[in-house]
Amino acid sequence: MAPESTPKKEKKDKKRKSDAADLSASIKPQAVPPAEGTASAEAVAMEVDGEKALKKQKKEKKEKRKSLAAGEGEGEEEDKKAEFSVPLDAISPIASPLAPKKLSKKLFKVTKKASKARQLKRGVKEVVKAIRKGEKGLLLLASNITPVDVISHLPLLAEEAQGVEYVWVLSKEELGQAAGTKRATSCVLISSAPAKKTTPKDGSAPKAGPSAEDLADLKSSLEEVTEEVKKLESSAGIKY
């Protein structure tokens, strides 16, 4: 006859079984990497590369957003720095029509676009030469130029020419900045026609000109501000 099991022995057996179950549960099976060159290995590699590319794309998007935000902030700061205060007694009595602040900002933006597109004439000599050659566009004159005799003949020259409108802006310093020069500028002419491509004298390839989109943008902006200039009344006083 088999010996009867005692409660003590049963307790020991239960304990051994529970310990064995705990041990097997704690040991996790290790994943065996697939052999190189197999289809499963290539699939794993593609999945890893895809995850890396996705992370890189997200990181680039974040950096782009930051740079755009920083650029907008810098642009606002530049606009604030670009503002100059001109005393009323420094404004020429013949400065009419004088563009108000809102229109002046638009004019300076168009001037910057024209400078990049090479459709801008700076200074009295260049402006006079261009108008006499028959170039059409918008003439901007600085109201705080002294002596004003330097540019007093330009409004009459613009009136006699066909297709040239003129308007006075408050500050020669702001006009110079918009024209892309470090010095103050007395006058600029924004040409309505694109500049002709010229071949360098040394025979090298000509520089790449502005894109069609930039030219179209400049044209529409110039037409918009020109229409606003035409609506200005010469006799109306502009308060700053």
Side-chain angles (χ1 to χ4, degrees), residues 104-112 169 171 174-175 178:
S104 293
K105 286 181 179 179
K106 288 182 181 179
L107 291 168
F108 293 143
K109 282 182 181 178
V110 177
T111 304
K112 286 178 183 178
V169 292
S171 170
E174 284 181 295
L175 187 59

Side-chain angles (χ1 to χ4, degrees), residues 2 19 33 57 108 190:
D19 290 342
Q57 194 176 2
F108 293 143
I190 304 171

Side-chain angles (χ1 to χ4, degrees), residues 61-208:
K61 281 183 180 179
K62 282 182 181 179
E63 288 176 357
K64 193 175 181 181
R65 283 174 195 159
K66 286 181 182 178
S67 63
L68 286 171
E72 286 175 3
E74 286 174 6
E76 288 175 3
E77 286 178 7
E78 283 179 5
D79 289 340
K80 287 178 182 178
K81 287 179 182 178
E83 290 182 2
F84 290 88
S85 59
V86 178
L88 289 173
D89 57 355
I91 299 173
S92 172
I94 66 168
S96 181
L98 183 62
K101 277 188 177 181
K102 192 175 180 180
L103 178 57
S104 293
K105 286 181 179 179
K106 288 182 181 179
L107 291 168
F108 293 143
K109 282 182 181 178
V110 177
T111 304
K112 286 178 183 178
K113 290 177 183 179
S115 179
K116 289 180 181 178
R118 300 172 194 169
Q119 286 182 222
L120 191 71
K121 305 296 181 185
R122 305 173 183 85
V124 178
K125 286 183 180 179
E126 283 190 23
V127 168
V128 170
K129 188 178 178 181
I131 293 175
R132 284 179 178 169
K133 276 187 175 182
E135 285 195 33
K136 299 176 182 180
L138 181 61
L139 174 63
L140 307 185
L141 304 158
S143 67
N144 62 339
I145 284 291
T146 51
V148 74
D149 297 342
V150 176
I151 56 173
S152 59
H153 62 292
L154 292 181
L156 182 61
L157 189 66
E159 286 173 5
E160 290 176 349
Q162 290 184 352
V164 179
E165 298 292 332
Y166 72 91
V167 66
W168 294 78
V169 292
L170 197 63
S171 170
K172 60 184 178 182
E173 290 84 7
E174 284 181 295
L175 187 59
Q177 279 191 353
T181 59
K182 294 180 180 178
R183 299 172 63 184
T185 303
S186 60
C187 58
V188 297
L189 176 68
I190 304 171
S191 300
S192 56
K196 294 179 181 179
K197 289 185 179 179
T198 55
T199 307
K201 293 179 180 179
D202 57 359
S204 60
K207 293 181 180 178

